[in-house]
Amino acid sequence: MAKIRAIFKRRKAIRNIRKITRTMELIATARFRKTLDRAVKAEAYTRKIAELAADLSASAANLTHPLLQKREQVKNSVLLVICSNRGLCGGYNGSILREATAAIRRMNAENVNIHLELSGKRAITFFRFQGAKAAATYTHFEDKPSFDEVEVLANRYLTEYIAGKIDRVDVAYMKFQNAARQAPVVETLLPLSSTAPETSSRRGATQPVASAVEYEFLPDAKGILEEILPVSFKVRLFKCFLDAAVSEQIARRVAMKAATENADDIIKNLSRLYNRARQAQITKEIAEIIGGAEAMK
């Protein structure tokens, strides 16, 4: 009787957990669709403005801009790690943190002074446990990052880079490629590249970049570059946060779907055990009744 009761209680607990995981799966699916729309809409704009900035920089070969100048020796570098505030999203945070840790080791080997900035409670907790001191922490970037919030961060990076306080800005995050593929990367956003980036289609195939176009600058190339290059950096940084948001929801949806399926399997096995135990108990009780009736004859 005690075994049957224990199986019944455990099955009830698993059913309650299944309700939670199923609900979280549905919520993650709804959020994923919204964040995916934002990421897809920003992708074309980000890619085009990066290509335009690269073409203008190549056309104005006689001009230089601080954001395009690569420092011969990198002494101070900013590493921004973008993770989530919540868990239950599979290996999402672990993959990013492994890439960030490997990047930190490389920078330490090159004697680079690292200014570590962390976005997300998971990254803050991890590096606190590792004993690494963070220069800044952020927890307000959720699944709906706004451009105004990211622009504040980008303006500070631009000011410090132009002033020479930092020599490079790297971002560790989960790069969104398509709904079935996301990859943890560490990208260098500053200095800006003077070559147009390669683009990826939805199926992951690399598309060739169009040939360079000759531009006529009006009123002058310097003024145009001073306007478009900072915007290009801000948009790329904002795209990093958008990719992180949509990748987090995909990872949470996959993890909660797997948890729900595992709960279904456990409930099925427990129901089988419960039915067998209940049948054995009923059979035993019937045998005892029959035996008692025979003894009274």
Side-chain angles (χ1 to χ4, degrees), residues 110-122:
E110 297 171 358
N111 296 322
V112 177
N113 184 23
I114 305 172
H115 300 272
L116 187 63
E117 299 193 6
L118 308 175
S119 175
K121 295 180 181 179
R122 296 298 167 177

Side-chain angles (χ1 to χ4, degrees), residues 18-215:
R18 185 195 177 281
K19 291 179 182 178
I20 296 173
T21 56
R22 176 59 178 166
T23 302
M24 293 184 67
E25 178 189 350
L26 295 175
I27 293 173
T29 302
R31 289 180 175 177
F32 156 70
R33 291 172 180 172
K34 293 180 180 179
T35 53
L36 178 62
D37 291 340
R38 297 186 69 196
V40 170
K41 290 177 181 178
E43 180 183 3
Y45 178 74
T46 304
R47 181 176 66 249
K48 197 62 183 178
I49 198 170
E51 293 176 1
L52 182 61
D55 289 343
L56 291 176
S57 302
S59 299
N62 57 338
L63 293 178
T64 59
H65 193 276
L67 298 181
L68 296 172
Q69 295 176 357
K70 187 176 181 180
R71 310 289 163 81
E72 295 182 359
Q73 184 178 3
V74 178
K75 297 181 179 179
N76 298 294
S77 176
V78 172
L79 177 60
L80 174 63
V81 183
I82 304 176
C83 287
S84 65
N85 284 327
R86 296 172 295 163
L88 298 177
C89 50
Y92 170 79
N93 291 308
S95 301
I96 299 172
L97 293 173
R98 279 193 294 271
E99 289 292 326
T101 303
I104 290 174
R105 292 198 189 100
R106 291 194 300 268
M107 294 179 189
N108 288 332
E110 297 171 358
N111 296 322
V112 177
N113 184 23
I114 305 172
H115 300 272
L116 187 63
E117 299 193 6
L118 308 175
S119 175
K121 295 180 181 179
R122 296 298 167 177
I124 296 172
T125 303
F126 173 81
F127 284 103
R128 183 185 299 160
F129 179 79
Q130 295 293 327
K133 186 177 180 180
T137 58
Y138 315 99
T139 57
H140 59 284
F141 295 107
E142 292 285 349
D143 58 328
K144 295 180 181 179
S146 67
F147 183 79
D148 293 337
E149 295 173 339
V150 177
E151 188 177 20
V152 174
L153 199 61
N155 287 333
R156 180 166 60 82
Y157 291 155
L158 291 172
T159 302
E160 293 180 355
Y161 186 83
I162 294 175
K165 296 181 180 179
I166 58 177
D167 302 313
R168 191 173 66 197
V169 174
D170 298 317
V171 181
Y173 70 105
M174 188 69 73
K175 187 177 184 65
F176 172 77
Q177 297 176 352
N178 51 53
R181 186 177 180 183
Q182 304 84 41
V185 296
V186 178
E187 286 188 356
T188 300
L189 299 189
L190 281 180
L192 295 174
S193 175
S194 59
T195 58
E198 292 183 346
T199 62
S200 298
S201 64
R202 290 183 177 271
R203 296 184 180 180
T206 302
Q207 298 176 347
V209 179
S211 58
V213 180
E214 294 186 0
Y215 291 90

